[in-house]
Amino acid sequence: MTIEAVIFDFGGVLTSSPFEAFARYETERGLPVDIIRRTNATNHLENAWAKFERAEVDIDTFDKLFAEESRALGAEVRGRDVLPLLQGDLRPEMVEVLKRIKAQFKTGCITNNLPANAIGSMTGRSLYIAEVMVLFDHVIESAKIGLRKPDPRIYEMMVETLKVAPKKCVYLDDLGVNLKPAREMGMTTIKVTSGAQAIAELETATGLKLR
């Protein structure tokens, strides 16, 4: 099947993963290992994180809810303290790949992000560096539309806008839970663990030489 579009997640794909920053934060404060990730993963469709990414709660409510949810798992972590940990560094090699992909295919970005005014956070528009975002034919931001991955509707919105069948799309994300709906729709999916690994798999999926 010929590929016509490549759709990217942003954080953890075009930037380094925030999981490294989470781990450092936990170690520095003597918190249980993976307490932040476990809090994010518990009741992942309706927890504090999900509500904030859909812009359903303000930062004060998010801070309080995240503290309650993490406390229930063994240690209190304030939501406000997690936000500054989200800013990853751009992966230059992935940005170059995106440029090469754009020359041949339609491109999209589906990102679970936070309201642009999230205090102490770089995850509003400021993180989405303009030179990178203009490389996409279409961008969907969870905080702007009130939907977030893994809701199947967000993927459907993307393919409808790009006017491409799911089976002719490749989708890259660093979270397996977000890849599942795309795969079930018929997309070729790539779980990103590093830039080099993602590029190699993308070369295989598209037939393009990307390095």
Side-chain angles (χ1 to χ4, degrees):
M1 178 60 65
T2 304
I3 295 300
E4 295 181 0
V6 180
I7 303 166
F8 295 78
D9 173 31
F10 193 84
V13 174
L14 289 161
T15 67
S16 57
S17 173
F19 297 158
E20 299 161 16
F22 291 172
R24 285 196 301 271
Y25 180 88
E26 291 161 354
T27 299
E28 289 167 0
R29 287 158 181 77
L31 294 165
V33 173
D34 281 345
I35 184 69
I36 297 173
R37 291 180 67 176
R38 285 189 288 117
T39 303
N40 289 345
T42 301
N43 189 27
H44 71 94
L45 297 180
E46 293 299 334
N47 62 13
W49 202 264
K51 291 175 180 176
F52 201 28
E53 287 185 332
R54 291 192 299 254
E56 293 174 1
V57 297
D58 62 17
I59 191 168
D60 292 328
T61 304
F62 167 73
D63 179 62
K64 176 173 174 287
L65 290 176
F66 196 92
E68 293 171 355
E69 292 170 359
S70 58
R71 193 161 56 241
L73 294 176
E76 180 177 294
V77 180
R78 303 300 306 194
R80 285 181 186 274
D81 294 339
V82 176
L83 297 180
L85 306 176
L86 296 174
Q87 183 187 8
D89 297 319
L90 270 179
R91 288 172 164 158
E93 72 278 21
M94 290 300 291
V95 176
E96 183 59 34
V97 162
L98 173 55
K99 291 176 181 177
R100 296 186 185 191
I101 289 289
K102 182 174 177 59
Q104 300 287 334
F105 303 105
K106 295 178 180 179
T107 55
C109 178
I110 305 175
T111 176
N112 282 356
N113 67 340
L114 304 179
N117 62 351
I119 298 171
S121 168
M122 294 294 287
T123 55
R125 292 300 305 179
S126 56
L127 178 60
Y128 303 142
I129 298 168
E131 301 88 74
V132 177
M133 300 313 276
V134 297
L135 298 173
F136 295 110
D137 295 315
H138 187 55
V139 177
I140 296 178
E141 301 177 65
S142 65
K144 286 193 170 184
I145 65 167
L147 284 179
R148 69 190 285 273
K149 299 174 293 186
D151 191 315
R153 290 176 292 175
I154 206 166
Y155 307 87
E156 291 165 0
M157 289 170 64
M158 178 59 75
V159 296
E160 286 170 5
T161 301
L162 293 180
K163 295 182 171 58
V164 61
K167 62 185 177 182
K168 294 187 177 182
C169 296
V170 179
Y171 178 63
L172 300 90
D173 203 299
D174 62 327
L175 296 179
V177 68
N178 291 338
L179 290 167
K180 185 179 177 184
R183 189 165 52 248
E184 289 177 345
M185 288 174 67
M187 294 187 195
T188 297
T189 57
I190 296 173
K191 184 174 183 179
V192 177
T193 57
S194 72
Q197 164 266 332
I199 293 167
E201 292 193 36
L202 197 49
E203 285 182 329
T204 300
T206 63
L208 285 185
K209 181 67 176 173
L210 297 172
R211 289 173 288 189

